Amino acid sequence: MKKVIFTSSAGGHFAELMCLEKLFKDYEYLIVTEKTSSVEKLKDKYNMEFLKYGSRFYIFKYIFVLIYNIFKCIKIVLKFKPDTVVSTGAHTGGIMCYIAKMFGSKIIYIETLAKTNSLSVTGKNVYKIADKFYVQWKELEKKYDKAIYIGRLM
C-alpha cells in the first residue's frame, strides 16, 4: 500500500486538507500539521504527527520554530518514508514538501481556495518542485502552466 503524508498548517489550510479525508482509507497515511488545541484532539481518530506552531509575524521566535520544524520534518520523512506528500499549504506544508522531495517523494500541492488571482507564497515556492499542482479557481489555471483546475474542495 502506498504511503502518503497529508500536510498543512493549522486553521483554514487544515480544514481544506480534511476535505480529502475520504482518501485516507486508500493509503497508509500520516497527517502532519501544527500542534494547536483545535487539531490536537484529533490525534486519537487519525494517524498524526505535530510540528510547532509559529507565526512569521514574530520573526525571532519564528526562526527557531522553523529550524525545529525542519529537523522534525526530516525525522518524520526518514521514519515514515512516504511515496507521496499532499499539501494544502501554508508554510508548514511547504517545508514538508521540500524535505520529502529531497528524499524522493512525489509532491501534490493544492493551492488554497483563498487565492483567486495569484499563488500564495507557499504555492509559488512549491510550484517549482510539485509533480502535480492543483488550483481551485479556473483563473489560476490560465495563469500557470503546471496548474490543473480541480474545482473547490470546500
Side-chain angles (χ1 to χ4, degrees), residues 120-139:
S120 64
V121 172
T122 304
K124 287 176 189 172
N125 288 323
V126 175
Y127 182 82
K128 301 167 191 170
I129 64 162
D131 296 285
K132 294 286 184 181
F133 192 92
Y134 295 103
V135 294
Q136 298 182 60
W137 294 95
K138 197 79 171 146
E139 295 78 17

Side-chain angles (χ1 to χ4, degrees), residues 73 90-91 119 122 126 149 151:
C73 285
H91 52 90
L119 298 181
T122 304
V126 175
Y149 173 67

Side-chain angles (χ1 to χ4, degrees), residues 6 11 28 50 55 72 86 93 100 109 123 127:
F6 292 89
E28 184 178 338
F50 295 105
S55 172
K72 179 93 185 249
V86 177
Y109 189 82
Y127 182 82

Side-chain angles (χ1 to χ4, degrees), residues 19-153:
C19 289
L20 303 173
E21 179 182 18
K22 61 184 170 257
L23 298 176
F24 298 171
K25 66 179 176 7
D26 297 333
Y27 304 99
E28 184 178 338
Y29 77 92
L30 176 65
I31 298 170
V32 179
T33 190
E34 298 163 325
K35 189 174 193 174
T36 63
S37 58
S38 60
V39 295
E40 189 176 15
K41 52 188 152 191
L42 297 174
K43 68 182 176 194
D44 293 331
K45 184 176 179 184
Y46 301 103
N47 186 25
M48 299 182 83
E49 285 278 348
F50 295 105
L51 302 174
K52 287 194 179 294
Y53 172 79
S55 172
R56 62 188 166 106
F57 299 111
Y58 301 101
I59 193 70
F60 187 71
K61 180 181 177 188
Y62 181 72
I63 290 168
F64 289 101
V65 169
L66 178 65
I67 292 167
Y68 172 86
N69 284 345
I70 288 169
F71 283 103
K72 179 93 185 249
C73 285
I74 292 169
K75 181 180 175 185
I76 290 168
V77 168
L78 289 175
K79 182 180 175 187
F80 190 73
K81 297 180 175 67
D83 298 298
T84 304
V85 170
V86 177
S87 180
T88 54
H91 52 90
T92 302
I95 294 166
M96 180 60 78
C97 287
Y98 266 87
I99 290 169
K101 187 71 171 183
M102 288 189 316
F103 288 97
S105 299
K106 298 286 185 203
I107 306 300
I108 299 172
Y109 189 82
I110 303 169
E111 182 62 283
T112 180
L113 180 65
K115 296 304 286 183
T116 61
N117 295 314
S118 64
L119 298 181
S120 64
V121 172
T122 304
K124 287 176 189 172
N125 288 323
V126 175
Y127 182 82
K128 301 167 191 170
I129 64 162
D131 296 285
K132 294 286 184 181
F133 192 92
Y134 295 103
V135 294
Q136 298 182 60
W137 294 95
K138 197 79 171 146
E139 295 78 17
L140 286 177
E141 181 184 44
K142 296 172 189 169
K143 287 184 173 182
Y144 299 94
D145 294 338
K146 283 173 57 172
I148 302 165
Y149 173 67
I150 57 167
R152 295 188 184 113
L153 291 179

